[in-house]
Amino acid sequence: MASTTHLNVNPDDLIEVDTTTPDNGPAYGTDTTTITSSLLTYTYSNGRRYHTSNISRYLLPNDETEQSRLDLVHHSCLLLLRGQLFTAPITAPQRVLDCGTGTGIWALDFGELYPDAEIIGVDIAPIQPLWTVNNVSFQLHDVIEKAWAWPEGYFDYIHSRTLGTAVTDWNEYLERMWRHTKPGGWVEIGEHNLEMQCDDDSYTKESKVRRYSEEYFLPACEKLGMHYPQLETVKKSVEDAGFRDVTVRRLKYPWGPWPKDRELKRLGAVSAVILETGLEAYGMELITKALGKDPEEVRKVCEEAVEEVKRRKVHTYVYMWYIIGRKPTEEKKAASS
């Protein structure tokens, strides 16, 4: 059984700020298709590379800079869960699906941990390594918008992490997971909100982070009808699909190395590095398209927010949450409560 330990013990506890150094001190450092080179179809915008079939719905790049950021996000999730790849109580998985696998780093780590399991990582962009271990394979497939080609009841564990606004219908997404999870199998959804949280008065009207979030990013999302997943909404979708033993873990994820707690400080330091390219990755296409802003203006807003985070000027955090659910051993789906 996987360990349930994680970095945060009580999500309602306040995070104590480290006041030992000045806030302006130094920063811390329907078909599935096997990947082939013929599928490397890209478009370029504002100096970044995007996957052609992706740009209208999932406005993040897929170039080398973004791939490095995704690997750092994986590292930060390991810090948050104290080295655990998952929170579901699985013991000897046989067939595992990683939805939106990105660079494939989670799938590869899982394959190393469980060498007897078959792990399939799927994504719409072919940015995974061409050489991999025997029990891990990567496929091109849109698991969000298209029907799944695998047999029903095929997987005993399905993993989905940080797909954000790419999922337009969580009910349909979880229904697909239900159909392709075998009785007794588990699903796990890991997501984060983008509403800034702060326990003191450092998040002010003058905050550069607030400006990025509340004046640029969130209005752009609203303009395009894009909404970040909310915990209660996704939890209800998991339950309505028929999964039982649904459990939620909600953890604080600091932006920047401002916490006094040593482990949270380390996590915050990694998040600051992620934000160096992450704010632009999330915001550039979205804000320029939705709000008609000049790319240089957006870039400046991102840079100022990152500098504020790195210099510990603002003590903000977001919530990362993990939802797990088990498909009952009865073949027939129980009626939703």
Side-chain angles (χ1 to χ4, degrees):
M1 179 178 293
S3 171
T4 58
T5 60
H6 42 72
L7 191 56
N8 298 258
V9 176
N10 188 340
D12 296 321
D13 287 346
L14 302 184
I15 302 178
E16 188 175 359
V17 178
D18 181 8
T19 58
T20 58
T21 56
D23 278 355
N24 61 353
Y28 278 76
T30 313
D31 291 329
T32 45
T33 308
T34 302
I35 296 171
T36 65
S37 59
S38 64
L39 295 171
L40 299 176
T41 53
Y42 301 127
T43 187
Y44 296 84
S45 178
N46 298 314
R48 303 300 299 271
R49 188 187 75 188
Y50 299 81
H51 196 256
T52 303
S53 66
N54 194 25
I55 195 165
S56 63
R57 176 165 55 87
Y58 184 67
L59 299 177
L60 271 74
N62 68 358
D63 51 24
E64 288 75 13
T65 299
E66 176 66 2
Q67 292 173 44
S68 296
R69 187 190 72 84
L70 291 175
D71 286 347
L72 273 177
V73 170
H74 176 69
H75 175 58
S76 71
C77 290
L78 289 177
L79 290 176
L80 190 65
L81 296 179
R82 294 191 171 182
Q84 298 295 320
L85 286 169
F86 54 89
T87 68
I90 57 177
T91 53
Q94 297 175 328
R95 299 189 184 101
V96 175
L97 180 67
D98 183 29
C99 301
T101 194
T103 64
I105 189 170
W106 184 93
L108 290 168
D109 280 359
F110 195 97
E112 183 177 356
L113 187 62
Y114 293 99
D116 295 328
E118 172 197 2
I119 297 93
I120 300 175
V122 291
D123 206 286
I124 63 173
I127 58 173
Q128 302 77 34
L130 296 177
W131 293 95
T132 182
V133 294
N134 292 334
N135 64 325
V136 179
S137 63
F138 298 115
Q139 299 176 358
L140 289 181
H141 185 55
D142 189 340
V143 294
I144 297 170
E145 297 292 334
K146 295 183 179 180
W148 294 10
W150 304 285
E152 293 191 4
Y154 188 76
F155 299 102
D156 48 12
Y157 176 57
I158 298 179
H159 175 261
S160 174
R161 187 177 71 185
T162 60
L163 294 186
T165 57
V167 182
T168 55
D169 188 335
W170 283 95
N171 287 332
E172 184 178 357
Y173 187 42
L174 267 299
E175 284 286 346
R176 288 194 178 119
M177 288 190 177
W178 168 271
R179 288 196 296 271
H180 295 274
T181 302
K182 77 176 185 180
W186 289 84
V187 297
E188 180 161 351
I189 312 293
E191 290 290 340
H192 60 83
N193 70 306
L194 276 199
E195 291 81 14
M196 293 292 102
Q197 308 292 323
C198 184
D199 297 334
D200 59 20
D201 59 359
S202 63
Y203 189 65
T204 66
K205 291 183 179 181
E206 291 73 32
S207 166
K208 306 300 182 183
V209 172
R210 188 206 64 80
R211 186 185 184 206
Y212 170 86
S213 176
E214 299 181 20
E215 295 182 23
Y216 285 80
F217 183 82
L218 293 178
C221 286
E222 184 175 356
K223 183 78 175 288
L224 293 183
M226 300 170 65
H227 302 286
Y228 250 80
Q230 299 298 314
L231 188 155
E232 289 304 321
T233 300
V234 178
K235 179 175 181 287
K236 187 175 186 302
S237 294
V238 174
E239 294 171 335
D240 288 349
F243 293 101
R244 295 295 177 259
D245 300 329
V246 177
T247 303
V248 175
R249 289 192 176 89
R250 188 170 62 108
L251 312 174
K252 289 182 177 180
Y253 186 105
W255 279 25
W258 57 266
K260 184 176 181 180
D261 178 87
R262 183 177 179 179
E263 292 182 320
L264 282 174
K265 181 186 291 292
R266 183 183 179 190
L267 175 60
V270 174
S271 76
V273 178
I274 292 170
L275 292 172
E276 287 181 3
T277 60
L279 291 187
E280 183 177 322
Y282 273 92
M284 180 60 75
E285 282 297 293
L286 178 66
I287 295 168
T288 55
K289 286 179 179 296
L291 304 183
K293 299 294 185 181
D294 181 80
E296 288 307 313
E297 177 185 348
V298 178
R299 191 166 287 114
K300 182 179 179 182
V301 169
C302 293
E303 291 172 350
E304 290 177 346
V306 169
E307 184 64 19
E308 185 176 65
V309 168
K310 292 173 67 178
R311 298 295 174 183
R312 309 193 317 162
K313 292 283 190 179
V314 60
H315 310 141
T316 55
Y317 59 92
V318 295
Y319 281 109
M320 182 83 186
W321 38 266
Y322 295 84
I323 302 175
I324 61 172
R326 179 186 60 84
K327 185 173 183 176
T329 54
E330 305 83 27
E331 291 291 342
K332 186 176 180 180
K333 174 177 161 182
S336 300
S337 56

